[in-house]
Amino acid sequence: PTSTTEPAFVSEGGSTVPPGAELKFLSAKVPAEKVVTDGAASRAADVSMALAAPVVAGTPLGTDIPPSRVTIPLKMGAAKVSGVFYKADDSAAWVVMPSSGYTQLNDKFVQVSTSKLGYFAVAKSMVRAPTGYVDMNEKTDYASTMEEWTPWSKRTVAVEHPYLRFTGDGQLGVIDLRGCDIYPDKK
């Protein structure tokens, strides 16, 4: 990577980027740029992704350039890139680039191959563990954490089956046949 803070062109096969072509991160403080960024974030959220870097604008938008790679620093923290979106100009829709169109160099940089300038939005997965999941690697005192939860045996029961219990607060749980208590995903 040539720059650790700004997007940069890397030419392929000795080609050069035309004079006047430039790359920059969009700013949420500029209203027109915020609209583009919000659109990218919304498109990414549609497929359970979040932006991993500010949106990059390659200007002048829609300009054909020799095949090039754009190196984009992941300024929002290290991430595993799940996808890259491209928008040719302000009136175009965001489209998903094929995975062959970008390469993650490491956890801080991605390179996008392109022959046309436009907007580039790098995204990472937003998939999270289900509600109530306890990561044992993050908890140093698991027992004290569980003391805060109300076990199934102490909750108001609306419907009970030999193996299932549906509580009055809308929780469904499996009754452990060994007599152990099962903790719900809510307190």
Side-chain angles (χ1 to χ4, degrees):
T2 57
S3 171
T4 58
T5 60
E6 293 299 319
F9 285 113
V10 177
S11 65
E12 291 182 354
S15 60
T16 58
V17 177
E22 74 175 15
L23 297 168
K24 74 169 195 162
F25 282 122
L26 297 185
S27 169
K29 295 177 183 174
V30 177
E33 293 179 7
K34 183 177 181 344
V35 169
V36 175
T37 299
D38 289 349
S42 176
R43 177 65 178 98
D46 289 345
V47 290
S48 298
M49 293 186 202
L51 297 181
V55 174
V56 172
T59 57
L61 297 174
T63 302
D64 290 325
I65 61 172
S68 300
R69 288 174 286 149
V70 175
T71 301
I72 302 171
L74 304 179
K75 291 182 75 167
M76 295 178 176
K80 179 175 183 330
V81 173
S82 298
V84 176
F85 299 91
Y86 172 76
K87 180 176 166 110
D89 57 47
D90 291 320
S91 62
W94 285 101
V95 295
V96 178
M97 292 184 73
S99 58
S100 61
Y102 63 90
T103 303
Q104 184 155 4
L105 301 176
N106 54 42
D107 64 349
K108 295 182 180 21
F109 293 94
V110 67
Q111 274 189 341
V112 178
S113 296
T114 187
S115 56
K116 190 176 231 46
L117 295 177
Y119 296 112
F120 301 93
V122 179
K124 61 186 176 183
S125 176
M126 277 195 328
V127 176
R128 295 189 181 105
T131 306
Y133 172 79
V134 177
D135 185 345
M136 295 301 288
N137 295 322
E138 293 181 8
K139 297 293 181 188
T140 55
D141 186 4
Y142 183 69
S144 68
T145 302
M146 292 310 293
E147 288 170 8
E148 299 172 12
W149 293 74
T150 306
W152 286 106
S153 61
K154 307 267 193 288
R155 296 168 72 88
T156 306
V157 177
V159 177
E160 189 158 355
H161 177 274
Y163 307 109
L164 301 173
R165 178 175 284 170
F166 186 73
T167 63
D169 60 355
Q171 296 292 310
L172 177 65
V174 177
I175 298 171
D176 187 341
L177 299 176
R178 296 172 298 169
C180 297
D181 234 325
I182 304 298
Y183 290 81
D185 64 351
K186 293 183 180 178
K187 293 182 181 181

